[in-house]
Amino acid sequence: DQQVKQNSPSLSVQEGRISILNCDYTNSMFDYFLWYKKYPAEGPTFLISISSIKDKNEDGRFTVFLNKSAKHLSLHIVPSQPGDSAVYFCAASVDNYGQNFVFGPGTRLSVLP
Amino acid sequence: DGGITQSPKYLFRKEGQNVTLSCEQNLNHDAMYWYRQDPGQGLRLIYYSQIVNDFQKGDIAEGYSVSREKKESFPLTVTSAQKNPTAFYLCASEDRLGNQPQHFGDGTRLSIL
């Protein structure tokens, strides 16, 4: 049973609009969450993180929202750009150590010009 | 520039053969990880090492082996005991203090001939 779910395998958004990628988790002990972005034939790169003491973290065009009671987080990209087209992975952990991260299956975002 | 190098990018194996995937990092990170990615699934942890000469099994270690003789290197051997080795393999490293997110290599795609 997947502990971290990304229920939308793919998402298409028009350039300039907002992209919203969702992630749900089942383990209430998860305390630290990350988003990674992955281009084809490359490894994932870190995008943004949030710990459970916050409900929002912003970095430029990227904002992550955390709703602990709903066990849900989302990544907002505003405005979306064609270069944002990639697979986005959500990851969760009970701490900040890599061996404990659980990754979601990813959502493929396509930003259309 | 510091980073993680995985080689080769593509690897083909005959059934019954062992094969070793290389991972080298020059980030001076203590911790290193091997993940496997299959279609529709998140990254799953195979093995990890927090320090030289020490490593631990992850969630799907069966059919794999690793060594950590040097801080910079964490090779993964896919043995003939791994029944379904065709996958995309990603190596990652991390500052042991956990203050920075994981850095990933570009991956190796292993296919069975």
Side-chain angles (χ1 to χ4, degrees):
Chain A
D1 190 30
Q2 285 187 336
Q3 293 190 69
V4 178
K5 302 175 187 180
Q6 293 176 256
N7 291 322
S8 299
S10 63
L11 175 69
S12 292
V13 170
Q14 209 69 36
E15 181 179 3
R17 299 288 184 100
I18 183 172
S19 295
I20 300 176
L21 296 102
N22 292 305
C23 178
D24 296 286
Y25 59 96
T26 57
N27 187 346
S28 58
M29 300 298 291
F30 285 148
D31 228 19
Y32 194 74
F33 306 89
L34 297 90
W35 284 94
Y36 282 89
K37 173 180 176 179
K38 184 182 179 303
Y39 292 116
E42 293 183 15
T45 55
F46 170 74
L47 202 54
I48 194 168
S49 65
I50 190 167
S51 67
S52 60
I53 59 172
K54 300 174 87 171
D55 56 15
K56 176 183 173 182
N57 190 24
E58 198 170 347
D59 184 1
R61 296 186 297 114
F62 302 92
T63 303
V64 57
F65 296 92
L66 175 63
N67 181 337
K68 281 212 79 174
S69 60
K71 297 193 186 71
H72 176 84
L73 66 156
S74 60
L75 174 68
H76 293 214
I77 306 173
V78 184
S80 301
Q81 299 174 354
D84 296 328
S85 297
V87 176
Y88 290 78
F89 289 99
C90 167
S93 175
V94 297
D95 55 32
N96 191 10
Y97 293 100
Q99 67 267 24
N100 296 319
F101 278 114
V102 179
F103 286 81
T107 296
R108 181 176 301 279
L109 173 67
S110 299
V111 179
L112 309 172
Chain B
D1 282 341
I4 300 178
T5 302
Q6 287 187 243
S7 60
K9 204 167 185 66
Y10 299 95
L11 191 56
F12 300 92
R13 179 193 118 173
K14 291 182 181 178
E15 290 215 33
Q17 281 185 338
N18 293 355
V19 63
T20 297
L21 283 62
S22 169
C23 178
E24 304 277 331
Q25 55 100 358
N26 60 4
L27 298 164
N28 200 34
H29 285 169
D30 284 306
M32 296 186 74
Y33 306 84
W34 273 105
Y35 293 92
R36 170 182 169 137
Q37 185 185 13
D38 295 282
Q41 296 198 38
L43 305 179
R44 292 184 292 166
L45 184 64
I46 304 172
Y47 266 98
Y48 66 97
S49 167
Q50 292 183 307
I51 199 166
V52 173
N53 292 324
D54 182 58
F55 48 83
Q56 306 293 330
K57 291 182 179 180
D59 300 321
I60 54 166
E62 187 176 349
Y64 299 97
S65 66
V66 293
S67 63
R68 188 87 188 277
E69 296 176 3
K70 298 186 300 181
K71 188 175 187 178
E72 303 79 22
S73 179
F74 191 40
L76 173 75
T77 297
V78 184
T79 75
S80 56
Q82 171 49 241
K83 297 305 177 191
N84 186 22
T86 296
F88 187 60
Y89 291 88
L90 279 162
C91 178
S93 72
E94 182 186 64
D95 174 355
R96 193 182 178 193
L97 295 176
N99 293 325
Q100 299 294 328
Q102 290 186 9
H103 294 250
F104 284 86
D106 285 343
T108 293
R109 184 165 297 282
L110 175 63
S111 301
I112 299 302
L113 293 178

